[in-house]
Structure formats: C-alpha cells, structure tokens
Amino acid sequence: MKNPATATDRNPAAEAELPGDWREALAGFDRSLRARGLAEKTRRAYGVDAGELAAWAAGTGVSPGRVGHRVLRRYAAHLAAADREGGRALSRQTVARKLAAIRSFFGHLVERGTLEQNPADLVPSPWRPRGLPRALRADEVERLLDRIPARTPLEARDRALFELAYSCGLRCEEIVNLDLESVDFDAEELRVLGKGSKTRIVPIGEPAQVALERYLSRARPTLAGRGCEPALFVSKNGRRLSASDVRRRLRLWLRAASLAGGISPHVLRHSFATHLLEGGADLRSIQELLGHASLSTTQLYTRVESGRLRSQYARSHPRA
C-alpha cells in the first residue's frame, strides 16, 4: 500500500496564521478523517476546504464555536461572489463539494461537543444538473483490449490491468492499490480495498484471469526483478504504479485503438456497470460490485439505460 500521508498535508504554514482555536479544530478534524479511513485524496481536499473557511471566518473575527448558519450562508455567498467577480471560477459542483466538506467539519465539532448542532445542515448546496456517466459500447471495450498485444512485459501488464479494471469495475485508485495477495485464482475472485477502507469481493471474468496469469508468469518477474514489492501491478522499475501511470498508459492504447480521447480509467468502471445493467443484472448486485455505499448512486446508471432505450425507440419505431 502507499505510504500514509503526513500531517504536512494540512499546510501548516497557512494554519500557523490562524488563531489557536481554529488550528486546534482543524487538527482534530484531520485526525477524525484519518480515523474514519477516508481516502487520502478526499481527506486532503476536505482539509483544504475547511482551512479556507477557517481563514475567512478568522478574518471576520468568528471562532469555530460561534459559527452559525447565517455565517455559513454569508460564506456560501462569498464563494459565489468569487465566481461572479472574475476570481477563480467555482463551478456549482465545486461549491457543493466545499459545503459538503464544511458539513463534515462541523459534524466533527458537534461530536466533540464544541457545537450543539451542525449549522451547515441549514445551508443548502447549490442546485447542479447531474450529468450521465460516460460509457464505452461493448464493442469499443473489446477493440481497446484487443489492441493491447501483450508481446512485451509492459504490454502484458497493461493488458492484464485494463482487462481486470473492466472485468471488476475498479476505480483507478483501487487498481494501483491491489497487491499480489488480492487475487484468488482458485475462487476466481478479487479482494478490493475501496473508499473508506471498505473491502469487497468481486468475481474475475475468464479473459481477465487469462491475462493476469500470463502477466504474473511471464511479465511481472521481469519488471519486479528481485525486489519485494507487494503491488500486483508494477512499473518497469519494479515499483507500484501510480494513478497517473494508469491514465497515461490508457491514453496510449486509446490512440492505438483509434478511440476518442477524454476517456479516463473511470469510464471503464462506468462501462462495466452499464453493460451489467443492459445484460439484466439488478441494481443491488451492481451496487455491491461497485462498492457504492448508497443505492441512489448506482441508480444513476438507470438513466443511461433509459437514454439508450429512448434512442433505439427513436431510430426503430415507425411513429416515434
């Protein structure tokens, strides 16, 4: 696994300029996020968003324990004004994310007894249209995977990696965090460490198993050398791949397959879920396979399917 982040992620230089009560509140919030097992990227983003609120509130002379919903509404207006006045553009999605982090921050203060109730609960997030997740067609996925020839160690690694990503519906971070012991060939299963350090077991399809076995027997020993790296997928230097490595290699194979750009590893995850739904899988099963905490997140894929059906109806029905 990756090395744990250090306390420097909170930008102590900026925090040093804050009053002591805000510094203490932010430090306690960071500890609570670590204890909850939040993904490092999410924890950092929440810390930055809470720190920005702290700087703004401290500048107006408000302490953590005196922040009410009216103060937070002024802060929300401040975020919107930064966009209107030509500052750094803040999308509705960004503002909503910042308010979610602030809600979590004050939830921590309620748990600690600093506040009796969460003032952020009374501050609505800005309305934002929810776009449909992008997905490749099944033939496009097949074209992409078949374009990776697996002649060299790096090609064999990439073929196994992207076969597994699509076969199991993995997030990019989940791919790079896989270890050798994550694969159970006898049970034909993969143990995945997802968001919030939650583990789920996902079946591995036959093409992915074949690609994995080829990679582990022929390619990984060459890449890993005599090192003791536990990572399933390693670089040419024998180190664990990073998420940027995965994105870069995907771009390479997308060009080779003559597929449109702008496709991220997450699109393979969306394709996995969409194709399962099209094949008749129920939402509860897809939710478990994806590791979604809420069924409402998984239900977004029903909009993709209904959109596809409407398109087919429009093309096929004589009086559409």
Side-chain angles (χ1 to χ4, degrees):
M1 300 297 292
K2 292 183 177 179
N3 294 330
T6 65
T8 56
D9 296 338
R10 299 198 318 270
N11 192 356
E15 288 186 19
E17 301 175 1
L18 295 171
D21 50 1
W22 276 109
R23 292 200 305 272
E24 182 183 348
L26 290 172
F29 180 49
D30 185 68
R31 288 193 296 270
S32 74
L33 295 179
R34 290 176 186 271
R36 285 164 50 189
L38 233 62
E40 180 182 328
K41 185 177 179 181
T42 304
R43 181 179 61 78
R44 287 183 176 184
Y46 272 33
V48 169
D49 292 336
E52 289 176 354
L53 166 69
W56 177 86
T60 61
V62 179
S63 64
R66 295 185 63 83
V67 174
H69 69 276
R70 289 186 178 84
V71 171
L72 290 183
R73 284 181 176 175
R74 288 204 303 273
Y75 181 64
H78 161 76
L79 293 177
D83 187 21
R84 288 197 303 269
E85 293 169 4
R88 181 173 61 90
L90 297 180
S91 66
R92 288 177 175 177
Q93 184 174 2
T94 299
V95 174
R97 190 209 70 212
K98 288 180 178 294
L99 291 178
I102 291 167
R103 195 169 292 113
S104 180
F105 171 69
F106 285 107
H108 161 70
L109 294 185
V110 170
E111 291 176 1
R112 234 178 63 170
T114 305
L115 295 170
E116 292 184 2
Q117 57 186 12
N118 191 331
D121 287 341
L122 299 176
V123 181
S125 293
W127 178 87
R128 54 193 174 98
R130 194 168 188 182
L132 297 178
R134 183 177 181 181
L136 296 174
R137 300 191 309 270
D139 65 291
E140 290 177 323
V141 174
E142 185 175 1
R143 195 165 95 210
L144 168 65
L145 297 176
D146 287 347
R147 193 65 184 81
I148 309 175
R151 292 184 299 253
T152 68
L154 288 179
E155 290 172 351
R157 180 203 64 191
D158 290 353
R159 180 64 180 264
L161 189 156
F162 293 119
E163 285 276 11
L164 195 66
Y166 173 64
S167 177
C168 301
L170 303 178
R171 301 177 177 95
C172 193
E173 290 293 332
E174 293 171 346
I175 297 169
V176 299
N177 284 332
L178 290 172
D179 289 332
L180 288 168
E181 62 183 19
S182 302
V183 185
D184 186 338
F185 283 106
D186 291 335
E188 301 179 350
E189 291 176 341
L190 185 71
R191 181 180 292 103
V192 182
L193 185 65
K195 285 187 175 180
S197 298
K198 294 179 180 178
T199 301
R200 68 184 188 277
I201 305 297
V202 186
I204 307 174
E206 184 176 351
Q209 288 186 63
V210 171
L212 263 179
E213 290 172 346
R214 180 174 53 219
Y215 161 67
L216 291 173
S217 63
R218 303 179 190 175
R220 192 183 184 281
T222 302
L223 297 174
R226 296 182 179 180
C228 300
E229 174 61 63
L232 177 60
F233 295 112
V234 295
S235 69
K236 61 183 179 182
N237 297 320
R239 298 171 182 166
R240 185 184 296 273
L241 290 180
S242 67
S244 61
D245 291 329
V246 175
R247 288 190 286 267
R248 178 172 51 82
R249 297 298 290 184
L250 179 59
R251 286 196 296 269
L252 184 153
W253 294 116
L254 286 168
R255 288 195 297 269
S258 300
L259 290 170
I263 295 173
S264 68
H266 215 69
V267 171
L268 291 177
R269 176 172 160 88
H270 292 324
S271 304
F272 162 84
T274 302
H275 299 162
L276 280 175
L277 187 65
E278 291 174 350
D282 64 273
L283 277 178
R284 283 290 181 188
S285 297
I286 298 175
Q287 177 191 4
E288 291 184 23
L289 290 169
L290 290 173
H292 283 161
S294 170
L295 184 62
S296 62
T297 306
T298 314
Q299 285 174 332
L300 185 61
Y301 291 100
T302 63
R303 294 173 58 195
V304 177
E305 174 66 359
S306 64
R308 184 186 67 84
L309 291 176
R310 281 195 299 272
S311 177
Q312 289 185 355
Y313 173 82
R315 287 197 308 268
S316 307
H317 197 283
R319 297 180 70 84

